[in-house]
């Protein structure tokens, strides 16, 4: 134990000397701060219209529903509609209006715009239905939720990357060979080296959720999830770090970690429920589910534990498969 | 110039001997396999609707046809609970009030006032069209006769290409520079008749060669002959120069690899936010449109379309070449002062 702490404290000391640890902890918090500035707190309308200023009340009417850009000619309307994002043009046509679309917009959005204009032109028509809008009081924006989940996943992966780079540096300066002849056992060395990769992401992620106002989160569940995910990152970090004695290959290998991470998150978001099984192999998938439930404040201890067990089983299996490779890398 | 090619030749040889080259190629093959085997051609929506219909309306068939993702529940409490457990959902409650049908749309709560007005006006407008047939008055002019759309699978390709070509280069070039610093190679360069710019350019070119190679095999495996490979190559060259120059510039501010990695990591994460608008084109705030990743993603998308906007692609190729060159100039200036420190 003392030896483990010695290795750990040596890493901390050298990390603090050049401000590295502080820097690593601050980075996710800084990113969280930037996200909190740029991500809108509410889900806003996705109806974007470009038009010329009209004398009647249509401008004012549409302003209640849409983001409006004003230009001064039909050419400019067409030009804007043809740009990459989805914006509709609107021009008067007789006593009605004409919608100018590029053609690749979401069909339901085009229909919605038609209905809104019909509504404006036929204000007097009575309909046999009254429509009201209410809500169930959940104020968290979904974009902020997704961005925070992804930030926490990457924060953990960075812990693994830190270990990896640390090991590569040790290999480059040949200190790893020296460790082999000391009384420190390999396991003690591994644990000592790993501690930083667990602790830094935990502090970073707690800071990030506070900055992003998820203050009601169950911190214990968050820590447990980050620890489980940390194991994945640490295994990856060791497997890559111990084998590569130059940082370029090591960093290129990290791409092999980003890719499943991004695919897992994108898959969890976009694949239908019956296809989600395609992602069961990925620890990032289970971690993403956990983190999202935690941020939605709907995580139950049982579910968190089951997901964490999946993460642990996958990480341990990867470790067992790579065990020989890792131990070979030490020599 | 000839010195640049000599340095480049040496760097390329060294990287072919190293693992980096092969890892990149294996990653590309794994990506192709995942795309072709595990990613369906079209995704399905995960959005659910929960509806509660008053018993007095049971006789009338309020929902003429029930959509697949609509779930009927028995009470308002049940509806709220279901919605709380499924934040990707909307609720509808149908009741009668003084002989008028009342439709209450129940949202989660994060929706802005504009969005709420929009939903209400849209539904009212729909019922007006049912009362009086007026939709035909609202003419729609489509500027493109046959607008194309990529399949959901193909739509992922621009994201891969942008990460592969523009963003990963940031890391790799930083790693190259720190490796050379560590091994004292940089000091050797200081006394050798090689200019700093050609040292940096040669590293960028190695990354470019790999970027070209891996991107072309990935694009070919997924869309075969449908794209203009000459344009694809020009795009990769331009975006890669931008990425490498940005990587070199950021690296020049740091004296340790891990610190530089962290900064590059933050830059990459922020830049990747551009992909939100790529997947949801109607969410287009200005702060996303000014991120460099935004025009890159859309340029790759235009390239994959049969009748994509070539003018837009060429404009971005020139833009990133210009910005990349300026960044590269400043990075070289900075390194001339501090590379050997």
């Amino acid at each position: 134990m003392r030896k483990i702490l010695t290795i750990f404290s040596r890493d901390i000391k050298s990390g603090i000397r050049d401000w590295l640890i502080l820097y690593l902890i601050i980075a996710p918090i800084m990113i969280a701060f930037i996200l909190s500035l740029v991500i809108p707190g509410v889900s806003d309308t996705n109806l974007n219209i470009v038009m010329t200023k009209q004398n009647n009340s249509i401008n004012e009417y549409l302003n209640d529903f849409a983001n409006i850009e004003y230009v001064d000619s039909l050419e400019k309307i067409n030009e804007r509609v043809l740009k990459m994002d989805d914006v509709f043009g609107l021009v008067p046509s007789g006593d009605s209006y004409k919608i100018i679309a590029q053609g690749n917009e979401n069909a339901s959005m085009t229909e919605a715009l038609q209905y809104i204009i019909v509504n404006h032109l036929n204000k007097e028509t009575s309909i046999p239905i009254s429509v009201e809008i209410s809500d169930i009081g959940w104020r968290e924006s979904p974009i902020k939720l997704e961005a925070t989940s992804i930030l926490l996943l990457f924060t953990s992966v960075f812990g693994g990357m830190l270990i990896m780079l640390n090991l590569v540096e040790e290999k480059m300066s040949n200190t790893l060979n020296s460790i082999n002849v000391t009384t420190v056992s390999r396991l003690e060395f591994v644990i000592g080296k790993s501690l930083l990769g667990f602790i830094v992401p935990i502090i970073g992620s707690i800071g990030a959720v506070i900055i992003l106002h998820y203050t009601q989160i169950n911190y214990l569940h968050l820590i447990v999830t980050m620890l489980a995910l940390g194991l994945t990152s640490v295994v990856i970090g060791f497997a890559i770090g111990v084998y590569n004695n130059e940082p370029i290959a090591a960093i290129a290998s990290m791409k092999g970690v980003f890719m499943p991470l991004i695919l897992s998150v994108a898959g969890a978001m976009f694949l239908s429920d019956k296809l989600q099984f395609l992602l069961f192999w990925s620890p990032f998938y289970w971690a993403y589910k956990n983190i999202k439930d935690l941020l939605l404040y709907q995580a139950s201890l049982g579910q968190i534990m089951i997901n964490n067990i999946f993460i642990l089983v996958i990480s341990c299996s990867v470790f067992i498969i790579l065990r020989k490779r890792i131990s070979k890398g030490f020599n | 110039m000839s010195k640049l090619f000599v340095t480049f030749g040496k760097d390329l040889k060294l990287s072919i001997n190293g693992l980096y080259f092969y890892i990149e190629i294996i990653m590309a093959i794994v990506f192709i396999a995942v795309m072709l085997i595990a990613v369906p051609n079209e995704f399905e929506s995960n959005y659910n609707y929960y509806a509660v219909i008053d018993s007095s309306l049971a006789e009338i068939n309020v929902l003429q046809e029930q959509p697949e993702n609509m779930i009927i529940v028995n009470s308002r409490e049940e509806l709220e609970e279901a919605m709380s457990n499924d934040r990707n959902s909307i609720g509808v409650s149908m009741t009668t009030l003084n002989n008028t049908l009342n439709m209450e749309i129940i949202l989660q709560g994060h929706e802005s006032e504009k969005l709420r007005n929009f939903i209400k006006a849209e539904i009212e407008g729909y019922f007006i069209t049912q009362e009086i047939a007026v939709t035909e008055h609202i003419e729609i002019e489509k500027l493109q006769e046959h607008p194309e759309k990529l399949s959901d699978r193909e739509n992922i390709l621009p994201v891969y290409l942008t990460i592969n070509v523009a963003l990963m280069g940031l890391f790799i070039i930083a790693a190259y520079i720190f490796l050379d610093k560590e091994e004292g190679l940089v000091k050797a360069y200081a006394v050798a008749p090689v200019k700093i710019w050609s040292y940096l350019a040669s590293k960028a070119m190695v990354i470019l060669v790999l970027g070209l190679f891996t991107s072309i095999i990935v694009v070919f495996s997924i869309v075969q002959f449908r794209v203009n490979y000459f344009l694809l190559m020009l795009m990769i060259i331009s975006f890669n120069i931008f990425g490498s120059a940005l990587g070199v510039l950021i690296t020049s501010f740091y004296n340790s690899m891990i610190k530089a990695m962290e900064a590059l990591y933050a830059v990459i994460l922020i830049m990747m936010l551009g992909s939100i608008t790529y997947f949801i084109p109607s969410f287009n705030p200005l702060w996303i449109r000014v991120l460099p990743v935004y025009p890159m993603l859309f340029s790759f998308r235009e390239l994959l379309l049969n009748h994509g906007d070539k003018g837009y692609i060429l404009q971005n190729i020139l833009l990133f070449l210009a910005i990349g060159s300026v960044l590269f100039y400043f990075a070289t200036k900075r390194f001339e002062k501090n590379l050997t420190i």
Side-chain angles (χ1 to χ4, degrees), chain A residues 108-235:
Chain A
S108 61
M109 206 47 136
T110 320
E111 236 171 54
L113 179 55
Q114 278 182 311
Y115 291 142
I116 283 173
I117 297 165
V118 165
N119 192 345
H120 176 66
L121 295 173
N122 300 277
K123 270 184 275 192
E124 313 305 321
T125 312
S126 67
I127 47 171
I129 191 165
S130 70
V131 179
E132 49 177 308
I133 308 277
S134 67
D135 68 60
I136 57 167
W138 174 255
R139 307 272 171 240
E140 292 300 337
S141 124
I143 292 180
K144 191 176 126 197
L145 177 81
E146 299 297 354
T148 311
S149 312
I150 295 170
L151 174 63
L152 295 189
L153 286 177
F154 271 100
T155 304
S156 162
V157 171
F158 199 82
M161 199 164 162
L162 172 69
I163 294 176
M164 175 204 80
L165 289 172
N166 243 328
L167 278 172
V168 171
E169 279 190 337
E170 301 246 8
K171 284 203 111 180
M172 280 164 68
S173 49
N174 273 330
T175 42
L176 211 52
N177 283 339
S178 323
I179 291 283
N180 283 335
V181 292
T182 63
T183 52
V184 178
S185 78
R186 198 167 284 165
L187 186 69
E188 287 168 336
F189 178 75
V190 167
I191 297 173
K193 273 273 164 215
S194 312
L195 283 178
L196 209 56
F198 282 109
I199 291 171
V200 166
I202 287 176
I203 302 175
S205 60
I206 291 176
V209 293
I210 293 173
I211 297 276
L212 287 157
H213 302 295
Y214 289 102
T215 42
Q216 308 285 313
I217 197 169
N218 184 327
Y219 290 98
L220 188 67
H221 290 182
L222 176 69
I223 292 172
V224 174
T225 304
M226 292 306 280
L227 279 175
L229 185 60
L231 186 68
T232 311
S233 310
V234 165
V235 168

Side-chain angles (χ1 to χ4, degrees), chain A residues 18 20 23-24 27-28 31 34-35 38 42-48 61 63-67 78 80-82 84-87 96-104 109-110 112 114-119 121-122 125-143 151 154 157-158 161-162 165 172 244 246-249 251-253 255-256 258-259 262-263 268-275 278 296 298, chain B residues 18-20 23-24 27 30-31 34 38 40 43-44 46 76 80 83-87 100-112 114-129 131-132 134-135 137-144 147-149 160 163-164 168 171-172 175-176 179 182 254 256-259 261-263 265-266 269-270 273 276 279-284 287 289 294 298 301-302 309 312:
Chain A
D18 56 0
L20 187 67
Y23 190 81
L24 287 175
I31 298 174
I34 295 171
L35 287 178
V38 295
V42 290
S43 309
D44 209 354
T45 174
N46 280 342
L47 178 61
N48 307 304
Y61 171 75
N63 216 4
D64 279 345
F65 320 110
N67 306 313
N78 288 348
R80 181 68 190 91
V81 171
L82 284 172
M84 294 299 142
D85 47 356
D86 282 0
V87 179
S96 179
Y97 290 92
K98 183 169 82 174
I99 297 170
I100 300 176
Q102 185 170 359
N104 58 359
M109 206 47 136
T110 320
Q114 278 182 311
Y115 291 142
I116 283 173
I117 297 165
V118 165
N119 192 345
L121 295 173
N122 300 277
T125 312
S126 67
I127 47 171
I129 191 165
S130 70
V131 179
E132 49 177 308
I133 308 277
S134 67
D135 68 60
I136 57 167
W138 174 255
R139 307 272 171 240
E140 292 300 337
S141 124
I143 292 180
L151 174 63
F154 271 100
V157 171
F158 199 82
M161 199 164 162
L162 172 69
L165 289 172
M172 280 164 68
N244 289 302
E246 42 120 351
I248 296 153
I251 285 162
S253 317
K255 202 160 128 187
F258 294 155
M259 217 156 61
I262 293 168
L263 283 174
M269 277 186 212
F270 297 115
L271 285 180
S272 67
D273 288 347
K274 57 178 188 280
L275 286 175
L278 289 170
L296 288 167
Q298 56 184 220
Chain B
L19 270 178
Y20 162 54
I23 292 171
E24 288 282 335
M27 287 304 148
V30 171
F31 178 76
V34 171
F43 301 149
E44 288 168 35
N46 277 336
R76 174 69 186 237
E80 290 196 6
M83 283 180 63
S84 305
N85 291 327
D86 177 3
R87 295 290 177 192
T100 323
L101 194 58
N102 186 52
M103 183 187 216
E104 184 186 353
I105 303 290
I106 304 149
L107 302 174
Q108 290 287 350
H110 51 74
E111 299 79 2
S112 71
K114 269 190 180 182
L115 185 55
R116 288 161 194 248
N117 293 340
F118 166 80
I119 296 169
K120 185 173 182 328
E122 177 197 358
I123 297 170
E124 286 174 349
Y126 168 78
F127 283 107
I128 292 174
T129 57
E131 286 294 302
I132 42 168
V134 283
T135 13
H137 292 310
I138 314 292
E139 187 196 336
I140 298 178
E141 182 191 333
K142 288 190 177 163
L143 296 180
Q144 285 170 350
E148 296 173 80
K149 266 196 160 175
Y160 169 83
I163 294 176
N164 192 42
M168 277 313 285
F171 278 143
I172 306 284
Y176 263 129
L179 176 70
E182 195 88 19
Y254 296 91
S256 110
M257 181 167 68
I258 299 180
K259 274 189 196 170
M261 288 297 154
E262 182 87 3
Y265 200 69
L269 265 186
I270 304 274
L273 290 173
I276 302 177
F279 285 114
I280 315 168
S282 50
F283 175 75
N284 61 353
W287 66 265
R289 280 184 280 157
Y294 177 84
F298 280 98
R301 188 191 73 172
E302 290 302 304
D309 185 346
Y312 180 75

